[in-house]
């Protein structure tokens, strides 16, 4: 709910989805999923690339 009030990207999304005929309840449900995906990407560990082993 805070994002709807303060975040410009979210407010634009809200306007766009309202024009498409979605209810506020449906829009909030979509936003929750979007926020969950955004947070999940932030907490994932960084991908470790294998290093070349020295020649023996």
């Amino acid at each position: 709910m805070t994002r709807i009030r303060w975040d410009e990207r979210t407010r634009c999304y809200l306007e766009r989805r309202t024009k498409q005929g979605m209810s506020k309840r449906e829009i909030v449900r979509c936003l929750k999923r979007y926020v969950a995906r955004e947070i999940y990407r932030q907490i994932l560990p960084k991908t470790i690339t294998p290093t070349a082993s020295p020649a023996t």
Side-chain angles (χ1 to χ4, degrees), residues 1-55:
M1 297 308 290
T2 302
R3 282 179 69 134
I4 291 174
R5 195 171 290 159
W6 300 107
D7 186 50
E8 188 63 35
R9 296 175 302 160
T10 306
R11 289 172 34 197
C12 290
Y13 179 82
L14 181 70
E15 281 182 39
R16 187 173 70 242
R17 295 299 238 174
T18 302
K19 289 178 184 174
Q20 292 175 350
M22 291 182 79
S23 69
K24 187 167 182 179
R25 188 176 189 175
E26 292 173 314
I27 297 168
V28 169
R29 185 169 37 94
C30 292
L31 283 171
K32 284 179 182 180
R33 284 187 299 208
Y34 179 80
V35 169
R37 285 190 301 264
E38 200 172 69
I39 291 171
Y40 180 74
R41 281 188 225 117
Q42 294 293 320
I43 62 173
L44 278 178
K46 302 292 182 203
T47 305
I48 300 172
T49 56
T51 57
S53 59

